[in-house]
Structures are given as structure tokens and as C-alpha cells.
Amino acid sequence: ALAGTRKKLSYKVGDETEQLVVRIPENFPANGKLRVPGKGNANNGERGDLILTVKIAPNVNSENPLQ
């Protein structure tokens, strides 16, 4: 995510499938954690935070392996 991006995700909360779009900031580190407030599992009636681990795939269309 050298330049940053947006990703559409589907995930399960209980028996329901939810979707959301997250913005991954530019220069975000590989295997970094991204917190999405209020989108995690419910605890005492209140939704917690969803924690995402961002995996960054190499750019297979590039001649430079660092891009």
C-alpha cells in the first residue's frame, strides 16, 4: 500500500455478513494493524472495534520488486 488504497471487505459478525470499505493510508506497513471503531463483535450490547491485519502482496506487474 505504498500509494494507499481503498478495499471493500465482507466479514461475519455473529450470524450476519457485513460489508465495509476501508481506506489503507499510503506507506502503511506490511502486516500492520488497522482499527475500525464500532465494527467488531458486540460486548454488553456495544460493538467493539474491528482489528484488521493488512497483508501487502508484491506488485507482479512491476519490473522493480520494491514497488
Side-chain angles (χ1 to χ4, degrees):
L2 201 55
T5 191
R6 293 181 189 270
K7 294 302 277 184
K8 184 175 182 179
L9 307 173
S10 295
Y11 64 102
K12 296 277 254 177
V13 176
D15 293 332
E16 301 291 320
T17 298
E18 296 189 10
Q19 293 185 349
L20 82 121
V21 175
V22 294
R23 185 181 68 81
I24 301 170
E26 63 182 79
N27 297 317
F28 196 83
N31 298 314
K33 304 276 189 216
L34 191 63
R35 181 189 343 224
V36 184
K39 295 295 184 181
N41 289 324
N43 188 12
N44 294 326
E46 206 172 305
R47 297 274 305 259
D49 295 345
L50 177 66
I51 306 297
L52 303 171
T53 300
V54 178
K55 305 282 185 183
I56 300 175
N59 185 349
V60 296
N61 296 323
S62 174
E63 291 181 22
N64 183 347
L66 299 178
Q67 289 185 345

